[in-house]
Amino acid sequence: GVEELVLLEKLLGLPKGSKYGVQGERKVPVLQTNNGPGLTGIMTIAAYLVKQAKKEQLLGSTAEEKAVVQQWLEYRVTQVDGSSSKEDTRVILKDLNTHLEDKVYLAGNIFTLADILMYYGLHHVMVDLTVQEKEKYLNVSRWFNHIQHYPGVRQHLSNVVFIKNRLYTNAH
Amino acid sequence: MGFGDLKSAAGLRVLNDFLADRSYIEGYVPSQADIAVFEAVSAPPPADLCHALRWYNHIKSYEKQKASLPGIKKALGKYGPADVEDTTGAGTDSKDDDDIDLFGSDDEEESEEAKKLREERLAQYESKKSKKPAVVAKSSILLDVKPWDDETDMAKLEECVRSIQADGLVWGSSKLVPVGYGIKKLQIQCVVEDDKVGTDMLEERITAFEDYVQSMDVAAFNKI
């Protein structure tokens, strides 16, 4: 929620001091802007911050890339944030693992806001995975390890360890 | 190091395996290492080698910037998994200009054999250096073993506990701690290898000494 937006601001090199609040039972983040009503919702605020920082390439360049970025931002807010059970998590990891089989980043070859917010959204899940589960969702692990090493992303979040020598299986 | 012959199916399989949990040949950004390997792979890997194909398509997207990627291109044998034999050795690369010449001098001509031997030795040394000793997960456990009453022979109780032997279990120091009413519990340290010994097993075997032991608890558990 608000914490990851603060991390995002730092990653984007924006000055500190924005005023955040929360709204409603589900604690949806709200950003106070100077002129006009506040902005509500992670996706909305995040996209606004990216534009403030003049780093629009993080939203994708081509029409298709932009759509894919939006797709995964939507997935993050509707599926990942809404998930509570182990079964929900399993489905998400399976989806992501399939999608990432032939891609380095969520949008393909470029690093985007989708990777950043998915990383923040999944951190608490990845931290608790067993060695066996990390190997099972090999592509997600590879992607997560890559993103957490991307300059400026991880900040104070804990480093999730992925061991190099695979223990369980060589078959994929 | 190296991948073997990258123009062969076997070499591509090594590359595929290597890239299963990596986005790049070295580190977390595209570099000359990726370009060096990319150029050795003559065509897109087949679809069943999905990790190699993913990497290939990704590096291809950097084609225009390849000269400006960080790092220095090294001989192919310097990249890849540590336990694969470097078969690129002498001969296939034209001059190995960028290898650091540790032993030879500039003007003397080295025979082919001597050069091959030196490179083999260097490769072996490097692969030996990069192999780390296996790390065994261990824990230090402090156990509380409680007797039935104040008349229980604590020396015998301790003997029974220490008689429990297992692979991956080492007993440490112990002391008797009074718990009230004249009863003392045995507090004893042990170090276990996590894969081999667990607290369940310890509990089973300790409480098996029914004549002496009323119960056992884990007072402290620390990973080493």
Side-chain angles (χ1 to χ4, degrees):
Chain A
V2 174
E3 314 77 54
E4 66 188 302
L5 290 170
V6 173
L7 289 175
L8 177 63
E9 279 186 339
K10 189 139 181 246
L11 167 62
L12 291 170
L14 289 170
K16 284 196 280 194
S18 309
K19 294 216 168 9
Y20 286 97
V22 291
Q23 180 181 295
E25 259 180 44
R26 297 181 72 212
K27 304 256 186 335
V28 180
V30 179
L31 171 64
Q32 297 303 330
T33 52
N34 293 331
N35 36 339
L39 294 177
T40 308
I42 295 184
M43 269 172 59
T44 309
I45 298 174
Y48 171 78
L49 292 175
V50 165
K51 288 174 188 164
Q52 285 284 82
K54 303 206 192 322
K55 298 200 160 118
E56 280 96 335
Q57 65 275 21
L58 288 175
L59 296 172
S61 315
T62 65
E64 194 177 328
E65 266 173 11
K66 287 179 184 166
V68 171
V69 172
Q70 288 307 309
Q71 172 191 307
W72 288 104
L73 289 176
E74 193 180 309
Y75 187 92
R76 153 72 217 270
V77 175
T78 56
Q79 307 296 329
V80 178
D81 290 353
S83 77
S84 39
S85 70
K86 192 76 184 162
E87 179 59 23
D88 291 335
T89 307
R90 198 190 60 79
V91 170
I92 290 169
L93 291 174
K94 189 156 165 278
D95 278 349
L96 282 173
N97 201 53
T98 307
H99 176 75
L100 287 167
E101 188 179 84
D102 61 347
K103 298 178 194 66
V104 172
Y105 297 108
L106 285 172
N109 288 321
I110 51 162
F111 174 71
T112 63
L113 185 63
D115 298 291
I116 301 173
L117 289 189
M118 194 64 79
Y119 164 80
Y120 289 138
L122 280 180
H123 185 270
H124 73 281
V125 169
M126 299 302 290
V127 149
D128 283 340
L129 289 187
T130 64
V131 171
Q132 199 170 8
E133 285 169 323
K134 284 175 191 164
E135 269 184 40
K136 183 172 172 199
Y137 303 112
L138 189 57
N139 303 318
V140 178
S141 296
R142 169 193 30 94
W143 165 83
F144 192 90
N145 198 21
H146 181 151
I147 302 304
Q148 74 178 350
H149 281 89
Y150 198 97
V153 173
R154 181 167 75 86
Q155 297 179 49
H156 69 271
L157 292 175
S158 59
N159 185 45
V160 179
V161 174
F162 297 93
I163 54 177
K164 278 297 172 188
N165 298 315
R166 267 164 285 148
L167 295 177
Y168 289 97
T169 172
N170 266 325
H172 10 90
Chain B
M1 302 202 48
F3 300 99
D5 179 5
L6 279 171
K7 302 218 192 306
S8 75
L12 285 176
R13 271 199 294 276
V14 174
L15 178 66
N16 190 59
D17 229 44
F18 181 76
L19 290 169
D21 57 357
R22 287 173 177 83
S23 298
Y24 303 104
I25 297 293
E26 272 182 356
Y28 296 94
V29 294
S31 68
Q32 294 300 329
D34 297 283
I35 301 301
V37 179
F38 182 85
E39 287 174 351
V41 176
S42 46
D48 63 321
L49 300 182
C50 63
H51 306 294
L53 181 58
R54 181 229 330 129
W55 166 84
Y56 184 93
N57 288 330
H58 184 63
I59 300 306
K60 194 150 193 288
S61 75
Y62 288 93
E63 191 116 66
K64 299 218 175 72
Q65 321 158 266
K66 68 179 175 187
S68 62
L69 291 180
I72 316 172
K73 249 196 259 183
K74 297 188 276 200
L76 265 191
K78 302 263 186 278
Y79 301 121
D83 49 355
V84 169
E85 220 186 286
D86 178 4
T87 60
T88 59
T92 50
D93 289 337
S94 55
K95 277 233 171 173
D96 283 355
D97 283 341
D98 31 20
D99 273 359
I100 303 169
D101 191 359
L102 287 181
F103 303 114
S105 58
D106 291 312
D107 43 330
E108 272 185 38
E109 235 162 85
E110 232 181 322
S111 72
E112 265 302 322
E113 265 179 44
K115 186 168 186 221
K116 187 158 185 225
L117 187 61
R118 175 166 64 84
E119 282 183 0
E120 257 179 45
R121 288 221 181 108
L122 271 178
Q124 268 176 28
Y125 170 70
E126 274 175 7
S127 77
K128 240 173 110 179
K129 250 184 85 174
S130 64
K131 275 203 181 84
K132 290 199 182 139
V135 176
V136 179
K138 286 192 181 159
S139 302
S140 164
I141 314 181
L142 186 63
L143 299 171
D144 276 349
V145 186
K146 300 193 180 89
W148 290 105
D149 54 32
D150 59 340
E151 299 199 353
T152 307
D153 184 347
M154 293 309 290
K156 198 79 192 17
L157 185 150
E158 183 170 341
E159 221 183 276
C160 290
V161 171
R162 286 185 184 279
S163 76
I164 298 171
Q165 300 289 324
D167 181 22
L169 167 65
V170 177
W171 290 110
S173 62
S174 63
K175 64 181 184 194
L176 292 174
V177 179
V179 291
Y181 305 109
I183 302 177
K184 298 199 181 72
K185 67 181 176 184
L186 175 71
Q187 239 188 23
I188 183 165
Q189 278 275 8
C190 61
V191 173
V192 299
E193 283 179 42
D194 294 340
D195 297 336
K196 297 181 181 163
V197 178
T199 53
D200 294 332
M201 177 270 235
L202 285 173
E203 182 159 3
E204 240 181 79
R205 292 181 68 177
I206 290 177
T207 53
F209 294 106
E210 286 172 350
D211 294 336
Y212 297 96
V213 178
Q214 187 232 80
S215 65
M216 182 209 95
D217 284 309
V218 175
F221 190 110
N222 294 305
K223 297 214 72 58
I224 304 181

